[in-house]
Structures are given as structure tokens and as C-alpha cells.
Amino acid sequence: MFRHIVQAAKPVRSKLIRAVGGSGSAFENNRITKEQQLTDALKRAMPGISYVSVEDISGGCGAMYEISIEAKEFIGLSRVKQHRLVTETLKTEIAEMHGIRIHTTPSTKH
């Protein structure tokens, strides 16, 4: 029954998406914006980043992110201090999240 309702709503949904002018759902557009916002904040705080990946792992609602970073700023720091550097940089954004996974690696690239 539910499947038939979803199938019947597809033409209406696609018309609404075209009318609003979006190619994806509002959740997708917001998620991309938030991921880019987190990436930009990290790059501003740590100009020695050679790799950064921010991914919404909450299913699209923006409640949990996984962040992987490789940066020169991590050289000589313990893993705890590396993670503290990331969480301090994103403390305002983290306050709005349910959770965050952080993976850090000191950069060996010059």
C-alpha cells in the first residue's frame, strides 16, 4: 500500500523540485553546505592541511560527521592533542551535532 502511494507521488515531487529550482532535496543541499562549511573552517585554522574529508554519516540529517585530516600542524602532537585541535576549531559547529568521528594524520608532504 505504502509503495503505491510513493509511486503516485513521484510526478508531483519532481514538479515541485523543478518549481523550486533545485536538483536535489533540501536535506542534500544543506548537507553539502555544512560539509563545505566544516572543511572551510578547518582549512582557515590549519593552513598546513594536505588532505581533508568531511562526510555526513547520519543519513543526511547533519547530526553526525566523520572527519579525516592530514596536516603539518599535527607533527609532534599526540593523537589526543591532534583531536583537541580539531574539536577546538569546530567547537561551535560541534555543539549542534549529535556526534563526530575524527581521524588525524601528521602530514609528511612539504
Side-chain angles (χ1 to χ4, degrees), residues 43-60:
K43 286 182 177 179
R44 277 192 307 274
M46 293 182 272
I49 289 178
S50 57
Y51 173 81
V52 62
S53 170
V54 178
E55 182 182 352
D56 181 350
I57 56 172
S58 62

Side-chain angles (χ1 to χ4, degrees), residues 2-110:
F2 183 71
R3 182 177 48 170
H4 296 298
I5 294 171
V6 172
Q7 286 294 103
K10 277 188 180 181
V12 175
R13 181 179 177 269
S14 66
K15 284 181 186 177
L16 287 173
I17 289 172
R18 282 194 300 268
V20 173
S23 59
S25 72
F27 291 116
E28 288 176 19
N29 293 335
N30 187 35
R31 177 179 55 100
I32 293 168
T33 302
K34 188 66 172 180
E35 289 171 344
Q36 190 60 50
Q37 178 186 358
L38 295 171
T39 300
D40 292 345
L42 289 165
K43 286 182 177 179
R44 277 192 307 274
M46 293 182 272
I49 289 178
S50 57
Y51 173 81
V52 62
S53 170
V54 178
E55 182 182 352
D56 181 350
I57 56 172
S58 62
C61 71
M64 187 158 181
Y65 289 88
E66 183 164 30
I67 299 175
S68 299
I69 305 172
E70 183 176 314
K72 288 190 293 187
E73 287 82 359
F74 299 146
I75 294 173
L77 297 179
S78 68
R79 178 109 6 160
V80 170
K81 288 183 180 178
Q82 293 172 21
H83 287 210
R84 262 193 215 136
L85 186 58
V86 173
T87 57
E88 185 61 31
T89 300
L90 301 176
K91 67 180 173 186
T92 305
E93 293 85 353
I94 290 173
E96 301 171 0
M97 295 179 198
H98 174 73
I100 186 170
R101 290 184 193 163
I102 301 172
H103 308 282
T104 56
T105 306
S107 177
T108 56
K109 298 177 186 174
H110 299 287

